[in-house]
Amino acid sequence: MSEPMVKIRGVHKSYNGVAVLKGVNLDVQRGEVTCLIGPSGSGKSTLLRCINHLEKHDSGELRVDDELVGYEMRNGKLHELSDKRICQNRSHIGMVFQRFNLFQHFTVLDNITIGQMKVLGVNRESAVQKARELLARVGLKDKESSYPSQLSGGQQQRVAIARALAMDPKLMLFDEPTSALDPELVGEVLEVMRDLAKSGMTMIVVTHEIGFAREVANSVYFLDAGIIEESGDPRVILSNPASERLKNFLSKVL
């Protein structure tokens, strides 16, 4: 098997002395979908945010494409990168949040073009062309002049996905992308994510959608109290979990 795109070794993270991640190890292969499941407070979202350095992990090593995230090694010691270099690295990692995080005073089109122009240096004509292609891909080609407040939650989340894809990421992170949506809107977002998975995008998804994890994921990691309790093929561990803790969790969410 080739070297993983994402390699996490012994990652620890604490807040005010409370350990949230307790030595997490995780691999994500290129072109695969990995789902992180577990109860609230288990460390799933914290781990996801450490991957693109929105959170600083306390110890351990985290690499994307064999490059340290947010740090560089000098004279045998880790040194945090400058904000500019962190932003450059982060531009290759797309992230979709629970609450969309769209710019409310920008139209849908401008939400998708601004990053291309400001960060990637793309001219407006090219940025607009790409934005329109992505809006068509997520089923919103008729919404480019709308403002976020004029869209449903599901539509806003699809715009957020299009905005992340506009940056040509090699890795996509999803932090419970359907948890803020009304139940009838969940399906339209999951359908876009299924399409992304089929296209070969490397994805790490924090989710409570166990059916989606079983259907789409190549691997599932179950986190509990800051450790990985169980991991493996979703068809195996979600149908016949080995740990009592995962059995108990699944009995409550399925």
Side-chain angles (χ1 to χ4, degrees):
M1 185 173 289
S2 61
E3 190 74 7
M5 173 182 276
V6 180
K7 183 188 291 186
I8 298 172
R9 295 292 181 269
V11 167
H12 289 256
K13 173 67 180 179
S14 296
Y15 294 105
N16 300 318
V18 178
V20 178
L21 298 175
K22 305 172 185 176
V24 171
N25 299 299
L26 182 150
D27 287 342
V28 180
Q29 298 296 328
R30 190 178 309 277
E32 292 193 345
V33 178
T34 294
C35 284
L36 309 181
I37 65 171
S40 297
S42 60
K44 306 181 303 296
S45 293
T46 298
L47 179 60
L48 201 73
R49 292 171 68 86
C50 285
I51 292 172
N52 68 352
H53 206 62
L54 286 175
E55 296 283 356
K56 302 176 185 179
H57 57 287
D58 299 328
S59 62
E61 188 172 279
L62 200 159
R63 292 179 179 269
V64 176
D65 261 353
D66 205 33
E67 291 187 2
L68 290 168
V69 177
Y71 298 91
E72 64 181 358
M73 189 71 74
R74 294 200 304 265
N75 300 321
K77 292 185 178 181
L78 285 178
H79 295 267
E80 190 173 13
L81 298 174
S82 66
D83 289 344
K84 182 178 181 180
R85 288 185 63 190
I86 290 171
C87 287
Q88 288 172 343
N89 289 347
R90 196 178 284 148
S91 69
H92 302 297
I93 303 174
M95 187 156 184
V96 177
F97 301 87
Q98 296 179 38
R99 292 288 176 178
F100 326 133
N101 286 11
L102 298 176
F103 297 114
Q104 295 297 312
H105 58 295
F106 285 171
T107 65
V108 164
L109 190 69
D110 287 339
N111 263 282
I112 301 172
T113 57
I114 187 170
Q116 297 181 68
M117 295 187 293
K118 295 288 188 181
V119 179
L120 301 182
V122 175
N123 64 55
R124 178 165 177 80
E125 183 180 359
S126 298
V128 167
Q129 180 180 345
K130 187 168 199 173
R132 286 173 173 160
E133 290 170 356
L134 288 168
L135 284 172
R137 182 175 181 180
V138 300
L140 293 172
K141 64 180 180 180
D142 60 336
K143 298 295 185 181
E144 68 173 61
S145 298
S146 300
Y147 287 87
S149 62
Q150 298 171 312
L151 304 179
S152 70
Q155 289 172 330
Q156 289 187 65
Q157 195 62 293
R158 284 186 279 158
V159 172
I161 293 172
R163 180 180 63 179
L165 291 175
M167 304 299 287
D168 287 327
K170 56 188 174 185
L171 171 66
M172 283 286 288
L173 309 176
F174 293 86
D175 188 5
E176 299 190 33
T178 61
S179 65
L181 303 179
D182 292 333
E184 64 267 25
L185 301 178
V186 168
E188 63 190 50
V189 174
L190 293 181
E191 189 56 40
V192 171
M193 295 171 65
R194 287 188 187 96
D195 175 67
L196 269 183
K198 290 176 183 176
S199 75
M201 175 63 72
T202 308
M203 299 161 59
I204 304 177
V205 184
V206 172
T207 185
H208 291 294
E209 301 290 340
I210 303 301
F212 174 83
R214 182 184 286 114
E215 174 193 351
V216 177
N218 299 96
S219 59
V220 168
Y221 287 76
F222 171 62
L223 278 78
D224 184 44
I227 65 170
I228 293 174
E229 180 77 19
E230 189 170 348
S231 63
D233 186 322
R235 293 166 295 182
V236 176
I237 74 167
L238 296 179
S239 300
N240 189 27
S243 75
E244 289 300 320
R245 185 67 187 90
L246 179 52
K247 288 178 184 177
N248 184 53
F249 173 76
L250 292 174
S251 73
K252 294 177 179 178
V253 299
L254 291 178

